[in-house]
Amino acid sequence: MQRSVQLGLLLLVVQLFQEGLGNIPAVTLAVLGFNVYLYMFPAAPPIQACVSLQRVFRDKEWRRLFLSPLHHVDDWHLYFNMVSFMWKGMRLEGRLGPAWFLYLLSVFFLLDGLVYLLLQAALTKLIEDSNPLVAFRDECAVGFSGVLFALKVVSNHDNPGGVTYVLHIRVSNRFASWAELVLIYLIAPGTSLVGHLAGILVGLLYTWGPLKTIMKKCAEFVSSDLNAPRPSVFFSSSGYSGTRREHSGEPQPAEDHIADDASEYTESFIAGLTEDEQIEMAIRRSLNNRGQTSQGETEPPAEEEVSPEELSRRSLSRFKQGNGGS
């Protein structure tokens, strides 16, 4: 259902144009735009998108883990979250790069909901007979705030000596996230304390815990699998010149490759080769000799183009003639 344009949304648009769309990194702008789109055209009403222990585990509504961070209760909720995300994204995406920042966002996006459910389960177990805190058990959270708290921890971690103003109060970066957690809950008790706490814990898992190492290992595995250089055969004007790596830059001259191999052509080495391997080695030596004898000579005006197969056949013929035929 399409929502009418409201003041918070208008202020967000004004804020974006004041900052300049060209000054906002691509991933930050795309994620921000997607949140605005889902506010205008929600995939589900907030009550059906929020995440809670009962609705996810008891009712098996796992889709809430994906819907919750991307939906907001009202336009002001959207405005404050997206302005905060814009500033954090501009700082972190510029420092980490768009690929890693998107990777980081995706991991935080998934982990925040899971940590939130674990915290809610633990608090429910601890306070199940305590009426004053029963709200923790029935709380259903929605919004991007948990991811923002995780990003705030990461941003402040790299500048521990700096300061942050939390509701106009000057706080050291070391304690800024915790101060914001407490102050926001005191000023607006309806906000999700558990959801914000989950975000802080996810951020700490990245900065102080094993999460960053695990993410790097996964990234290295995927990168090495997709971008591993594969050997490929290439030919020069002098014929077969060995193998090279796809991403190793310009191939070396064919004579360099063959000269290295020729230095290893000893009797003990040849004796351990099969007949086919000896023939291939002889072809390579023949081509090497041909390239060396042609050095310093003037290249003919029109060089005959010979296929690799024809070069191999001619060299094999010369090898057999030199050895008395077979």
Side-chain angles (χ1 to χ4, degrees):
M1 179 180 66
Q2 185 174 2
R3 300 186 180 192
S4 60
V5 178
Q6 300 174 18
L7 182 58
L9 189 59
L10 284 174
L11 289 177
L12 176 59
V13 173
V14 171
Q15 186 76 41
L16 290 174
F17 280 98
Q18 283 182 344
E19 184 61 36
L21 296 180
N23 297 324
I24 304 174
V27 173
T28 300
L29 187 60
V31 173
L32 192 154
F34 190 54
N35 274 268
V36 173
Y37 174 82
L38 284 180
Y39 173 76
M40 298 297 297
F41 306 96
I47 191 62
Q48 296 179 13
C50 64
V51 62
S52 71
L53 189 64
Q54 292 185 359
R55 288 176 171 84
V56 172
F57 283 101
R58 186 191 65 184
D59 301 334
K60 308 300 181 185
E61 297 181 10
W62 300 103
R63 68 172 193 149
R64 290 176 179 266
L65 290 173
F66 302 96
L67 294 177
S68 175
L70 299 174
H71 288 74
H72 294 82
V73 175
D74 53 38
D75 56 322
W76 289 109
H77 189 203
L78 176 74
Y79 169 75
F80 287 116
N81 276 355
M82 290 302 101
V83 169
S84 177
F85 173 66
M86 180 180 69
W87 290 111
K88 291 177 175 63
M90 291 173 66
R91 187 182 306 116
L92 287 174
E93 186 174 349
R95 189 174 77 228
L96 301 176
W100 188 268
F101 182 64
L102 180 60
Y103 182 27
L104 187 72
L105 275 180
S106 302
V107 173
F108 284 2
F109 179 88
L110 294 175
L111 279 184
D112 180 64
L114 295 175
V115 173
Y116 171 81
L117 293 177
L118 291 175
L119 282 176
Q120 196 176 41
L123 289 172
T124 299
K125 184 67 176 177
L126 290 173
I127 62 175
E128 56 185 357
D129 297 327
S130 177
N131 291 329
L133 298 177
V134 73
F136 285 122
R137 184 181 58 202
D138 300 326
E139 179 182 274
C140 191
V142 65
F144 210 66
S145 302
V147 178
L148 292 177
F149 268 87
L151 294 177
K152 186 176 185 68
V153 171
V154 175
S155 179
N156 291 340
H157 174 73
D158 294 331
N159 186 24
V163 295
T164 300
Y165 286 86
V166 181
L167 300 178
H168 303 290
I169 301 175
R170 193 170 183 267
V171 181
S172 170
N173 280 350
R174 296 178 182 273
F175 311 106
S177 299
W178 298 104
E180 188 172 342
L181 173 72
V182 174
L183 288 175
I184 288 179
Y185 186 72
L186 292 176
I187 294 174
T191 58
S192 175
L193 178 66
V194 180
H196 295 169
L197 178 59
I200 292 177
L201 294 180
V202 170
L204 291 175
L205 281 175
Y206 180 83
T207 55
W208 297 104
L211 181 57
K212 187 175 184 178
T213 302
I214 295 173
M215 288 176 61
K216 284 184 176 180
K217 292 295 183 182
C218 293
E220 290 172 1
F221 175 78
V222 173
S223 177
S224 62
D225 183 58
L226 295 178
N227 299 322
R230 297 177 175 84
S232 63
V233 176
F234 67 94
F235 292 86
S236 67
S237 59
S238 61
Y240 178 86
S241 57
T243 60
R244 65 180 173 91
R245 295 292 181 180
E246 290 290 348
H247 304 289
S248 60
E250 292 295 326
Q252 295 180 351
E255 292 77 16
D256 295 341
H257 288 277
I258 301 172
D260 294 339
D261 294 335
S263 64
E264 300 176 2
Y265 291 164
T266 61
E267 283 190 28
S268 59
F269 174 74
I270 296 175
L273 299 178
T274 64
E275 183 179 354
D276 291 339
E277 290 172 336
Q278 293 182 33
I279 292 174
E280 181 182 357
M281 182 187 69
I283 293 173
R284 298 180 68 181
R285 290 189 64 184
S286 175
L287 293 176
N288 182 38
N289 294 334
R290 180 190 175 200
Q292 291 176 347
T293 56
S294 63
Q295 289 180 357
E297 298 180 2
T298 304
E299 187 177 1
E303 182 181 3
E304 178 187 3
E305 293 186 4
V306 184
S307 67
E309 292 80 3
E310 179 63 18
L311 284 174
S312 299
R313 188 188 64 78
R314 292 182 185 180
S315 300
L316 180 59
S317 177
R318 286 198 299 269
F319 172 77
K320 290 181 177 180
Q321 291 174 2
N323 289 274
S326 62

